[in-house]
Every structure is written in C-alpha cells, then in structure tokens.
C-alpha cells in the first residue's frame, strides 16, 4: 500500500458475484451495487491508483467469489495496484492469493489464531503482506475464532515485532457497524506499530474524512472507502479535495495593521 502521502483506496467488495458491502458485521444482503468489474473500471477512471478487492463471502465463511475476483484482477492488471482480501487465514489461502500476482495480500484478523503462520508470511513475503485488524474498543473482533475478544494491543505488538509492513484497521461498535468516530483501535495501532496504517471503512460523508485528518496520526497513511462511493455520497475527486490541507481563517490570515 502507498505510504508517502495519504491515499484514498476504493473498495471493491464482492458478494454473490456482485459488488456489495458489510452491515452489522456481516454481508449486507439488502443492497447490491452491480458488476464488480464495472465498479473497478469506474474507480480507475476517477484516478484511483490502488484498489482494495475483497471476497465478502469468503470473509464471513458463506461462500466464494473466486471467479468474480479473477475477472476484477484481470481488468486491473497493469493499470492499478491491488490489495486482495477475503478470508485469507491459512497457507493455502495465502498461496492462492499470492499466485494472482497482486501487489499486496491482506491476511484476515482470524489468521492471528496462528501467530507462527502470520510471522512466517511476513518474513517470507515482506512488503506483499498486510494484516486486517478488526476490533471493538480494546479487543479483537473475529467471531467464531479463538482470537475473538483477544487483547488488541498485544496483537499489535506481536505483529510489530514480526515486522508487519501494513495494517488495515476496522473499528467496530457494539452493533457490528464500522465506526465513523471514536476510533480507539485506529489510534492504538498508530501509537504501537511502525508499519503503514490504513483506516478501513467507516466513511460515509466527507466530514468523516475531515475527522480522520484531524486525528493527526503520523502513521495513518490512507483509508479504504467503499459504500459511500457506490451510493454517490461523494466522488473520489471530492474525497481527494476533502483531505487537502485546510486552514482556519479565524486562526490564520494576512497581517493586520
């Protein structure tokens, strides 16, 4: 994932072969956003240099969208960098993801149940590995796995010691919704780790981007934006403008006589 400047990365999350989204910590079955290849083409046309491509059904253990993912990756090849996610938590999943040739593979939070696998993946594949961290407050959120409820800070320290180069941090509230504010996990990650940190979701309005920038976290290098782009809450260009340096006219202005 890019690190020199703050990056806005459109998400192409796939469920049942269509572009979709998450809701209350699961696949959103109420809304579909059409062909994922068309979505990827749209974000590339708007100037995206990275895409976050995820198999939602694989993430939640309800199926696979391997064919749809393959079509998206084919459309992206040579045009945009891709971070590939979606239930990647063991060696077989990692090998398959790496074989696609994507720039980065995102290990699932549940992969932390096997810390040796995670450490080995980071050691062997270095910059091609990122880890998705989903947390509620100070605890990891990975329902149905042994790491659900585990201490977030301890997990972050383990990953940092392993040399993890990049993280996607998803702050969840008690209802399983991605937070727009009160991002304790994101702040904790930026304080503990030395790798690049991206905010995962939780951006519904331009004001949410303003709030992210106002956190002034040096380790925060970008954000993954998904549903807001699909419902035209704002365009990618408007989002880029929202993260541009701003000043308060009440605090700065021309010298007064």
């Amino acid at each position: 994932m890019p690190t020199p400047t703050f990056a806005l990365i459109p998400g192409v999350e796939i469920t049942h072969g269509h572009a979709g989204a998450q809701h209350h910590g699961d696949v959103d079955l109420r809304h579909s956003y059409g062909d994922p290849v068309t979505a990827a083409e749209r974000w590339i046309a708007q100037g995206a240099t990275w895409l976050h491509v995820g198999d939602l059904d694989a993430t939640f253990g309800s199926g696979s969208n391997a064919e749809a993912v393959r079509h998206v990756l084919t459309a992206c090849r040579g045009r945009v960098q891709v971070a590939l996610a979606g239930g990647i938590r063991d060696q077989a999943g990692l090998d398959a993801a790496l074989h696609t040739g994507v720039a980065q593979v995102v290990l699932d939070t549940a992969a932390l149940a096997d810390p040796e696998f995670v450490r080995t993946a980071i050691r062997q594949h270095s910059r091609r590995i990122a880890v998705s961290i989903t947390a509620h407050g100070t605890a990891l959120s990975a329902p149905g796995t042994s790491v659900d409820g585990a201490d977030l800070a301890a997990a972050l320290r383990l990953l940092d010691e392993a040399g993890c180069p990049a993280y996607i941090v998803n702050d969840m509230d008690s209802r399983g919704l991605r937070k727009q504010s009160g991002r304790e996990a994101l702040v904790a990650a930026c304080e503990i780790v030395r790798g690049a940190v991206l905010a995962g979701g939780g951006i519904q309005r331009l004001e949410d981007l303003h709030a992210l920038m106002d956190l002034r976290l040096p380790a925060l290098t970008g954000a993954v934006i998904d549903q807001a782009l699909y419902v035209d809450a704002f365009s990618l260009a408007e989002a880029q403008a929202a993260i541009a340096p701003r000043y308060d006219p009440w605090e700065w202005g021309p010298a007064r006589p």
Side-chain angles (χ1 to χ4, degrees):
M1 294 175 190
T3 55
T5 58
F6 197 89
L8 297 179
I9 303 177
V12 181
E13 297 190 300
I14 305 171
T15 176
H16 294 91
H18 301 282
Q22 298 183 41
H23 183 68
H24 285 289
D26 206 338
V27 178
D28 183 353
L29 298 177
R30 303 171 307 165
H31 302 100
S32 175
Y33 302 107
D35 176 35
V37 172
T38 300
E41 296 276 6
R42 180 182 178 188
W43 311 138
I44 293 171
Q46 289 189 18
T49 57
W50 277 77
L51 292 180
H52 180 274
V53 178
D55 185 336
L56 280 179
D57 297 330
T59 296
F60 292 105
S62 59
S64 171
N65 293 279
E67 184 175 358
V69 168
R70 186 163 54 250
H71 289 322
V72 172
L73 298 185
T74 298
C76 292
R77 190 164 292 123
R79 303 168 65 197
V80 66
Q81 303 272 52
V82 172
L84 179 61
I88 302 168
R89 58 191 69 169
D90 57 26
Q91 192 62 51
L94 175 60
D95 289 343
L98 290 169
H99 185 69
T100 65
V102 295
Q104 201 153 46
V105 173
V106 183
L107 301 184
D108 193 75
T109 303
L112 297 175
D114 186 350
E116 185 54 37
F117 159 67
V118 175
R119 281 192 290 262
T120 300
I122 293 169
R123 183 176 67 252
Q124 292 182 344
H125 304 289
S126 186
R127 292 287 169 184
R128 291 189 71 190
I129 299 295
V131 176
S132 174
I133 297 291
T134 301
H136 171 46
T138 60
L140 293 180
S141 178
T145 74
S146 62
V147 295
D148 187 43
D151 183 64
L152 169 65
L156 290 170
R157 285 192 289 269
L158 179 151
L159 289 167
D160 187 59
E161 290 168 3
C164 182
Y167 307 78
I168 299 175
V169 180
N170 306 279
D171 275 278
M172 310 297 286
D173 66 16
S174 59
R175 300 170 297 164
L177 293 174
R178 287 182 288 186
K179 291 183 178 180
Q180 296 167 258
S181 60
R183 293 173 178 256
E184 297 96 334
L186 183 65
V187 172
C190 288
E191 291 177 345
I192 292 173
V193 306
R194 288 166 288 183
V197 178
L198 281 84
I203 298 166
Q204 297 183 14
R205 308 169 302 158
L206 292 178
E207 288 81 0
D208 298 328
L209 282 172
H210 295 157
L212 269 185
M213 303 306 293
D214 288 343
L215 290 174
R216 300 185 185 280
L217 299 169
L220 183 62
T221 61
V224 178
I225 308 175
D226 40 43
Q227 193 172 25
L229 292 174
Y230 289 87
V231 299
D232 295 319
F234 49 78
S235 68
L236 193 56
E238 289 171 330
Q240 293 285 1
I243 64 171
R246 296 176 294 137
Y247 71 90
D248 186 340
W250 295 102
E251 295 181 2
W252 181 93
R256 297 179 180 180

